[in-house]
Amino acid sequence: MSKWNWKGYSIRYQCAGNSGPALVLVHGFGANSDHWRKNIPVLAESHRVFAIDLIGYGYSDKPNPRELGDTPFYTFETWGAQLNDFCTDVVKDKAFFICNSIGGLVGLQAAVADPCICKGIMVINISLRMLHITKQPWYGRPLIRSFQNLLRNTPVGKFFFQTVATKESVRNILCQCYHDTSQVTEELVDAILRPGLEPGAVDVFLEFICYSEGPLPEELLPQCPVVVVWGDKDPWEPIELGRAY
């Protein structure tokens, strides 16, 4: 485990490998760099591999969004800037980004913001952001806003988080998205749950599930050289929708 200081915040990352092109692995929602624990040693046989905990996730700092002013902090623009600065400060080279779920938006946003850093992107089951406000019918948008306000500004949100942040709930959620449920081990459950119990994690969780604006993958994809990879058993981001990309 290594630490990097980014704008005064402590960011956890992992690295392996001594030669070859640089790869930066970017995790998805609620995850962290440990989600790549089986990929890192294999990729490191022929690459310099870096895996980062996005700010707010894993063992990186989790600043309270309510204390950071009126401008949203946990956005793809923030994480994209973090990824580019990480390449400049730590990788010290151009890199290929390998990204899962919302990490795909992070990688695309970083590449759009500074095309000179990213050599190419692989998105693995990228989040299609189906809950984005523009993808909802106009008559449902006020209801969505009200529900988000309920989660963010009342005890309901923290109660919801408490029901999710348990071993049983995490295991059940992982069994939904892992077609091969034998991969849902105690090690995996612990890797996802433990950072989620750290101070500040609940505020980040609620902030992001109420984040229904920002870029969509279809707005960013045409601007980058991208390889799209899709698991055909994904129950949340169906491959039928993925084929359109």
Side-chain angles (χ1 to χ4, degrees), residues 17-34:
N18 299 310
S19 61
L23 308 178
V24 180
L25 314 184
V26 188
H27 62 79
F29 174 63
N32 59 82
S33 58
D34 290 336

Side-chain angles (χ1 to χ4, degrees), residues 3-172:
K3 294 286 186 179
W4 165 55
N5 185 292
W6 182 63
K7 298 186 176 181
Y9 299 113
S10 176
I11 303 298
R12 192 271 289 251
Y13 70 94
Q14 304 180 47
C15 57
N18 299 310
S19 61
L23 308 178
V24 180
L25 314 184
V26 188
H27 62 79
F29 174 63
N32 59 82
S33 58
D34 290 336
H35 217 173
W36 302 102
R37 68 199 184 287
K38 295 183 179 181
N39 308 100
I40 292 172
V42 178
L43 294 172
E45 293 175 6
S46 53
H47 298 81
R48 290 173 292 133
V49 183
F50 300 83
I52 188 172
D53 287 5
L54 297 173
I55 190 166
Y57 291 103
Y59 296 96
S60 290
D61 280 351
K62 302 169 180 62
N64 190 326
R66 296 176 181 274
E67 299 173 358
L68 298 172
D70 296 330
T71 304
F73 181 75
Y74 291 106
T75 66
F76 294 112
E77 288 80 6
T78 296
W79 290 316
Q82 179 191 356
L83 186 56
N84 282 336
D85 289 346
F86 179 75
C87 290
T88 300
D89 296 350
V90 178
V91 180
K92 299 185 185 301
D93 196 0
K94 296 180 179 180
F96 293 96
F97 300 159
I98 302 179
C99 315
N100 174 232
S101 184
I102 67 160
L105 274 295
V106 175
L108 291 173
Q109 181 64 49
V112 168
D114 193 341
C116 296
I117 291 177
C118 178
K119 295 176 73 173
I121 304 177
M122 175 181 287
V123 293
I124 306 171
N125 291 57
I126 189 173
S127 169
L128 298 176
R129 304 205 66 200
M130 300 307 293
L131 298 179
H132 194 281
I133 197 70
T134 62
K135 295 189 175 183
Q136 310 310 313
W138 65 267
Y139 52 82
R141 294 177 188 180
L143 181 62
I144 292 170
R145 296 292 192 201
S146 297
F147 182 66
Q148 291 173 334
N149 184 63
L150 181 71
L151 288 178
R152 188 188 284 128
N153 298 317
T154 74
V156 171
K158 287 187 168 56
F159 175 77
F160 174 63
F161 180 80
Q162 289 170 358
T163 65
V164 173
T166 67
K167 277 197 171 187
E168 183 178 4
S169 291
V170 170
R171 186 181 296 106
N172 288 340

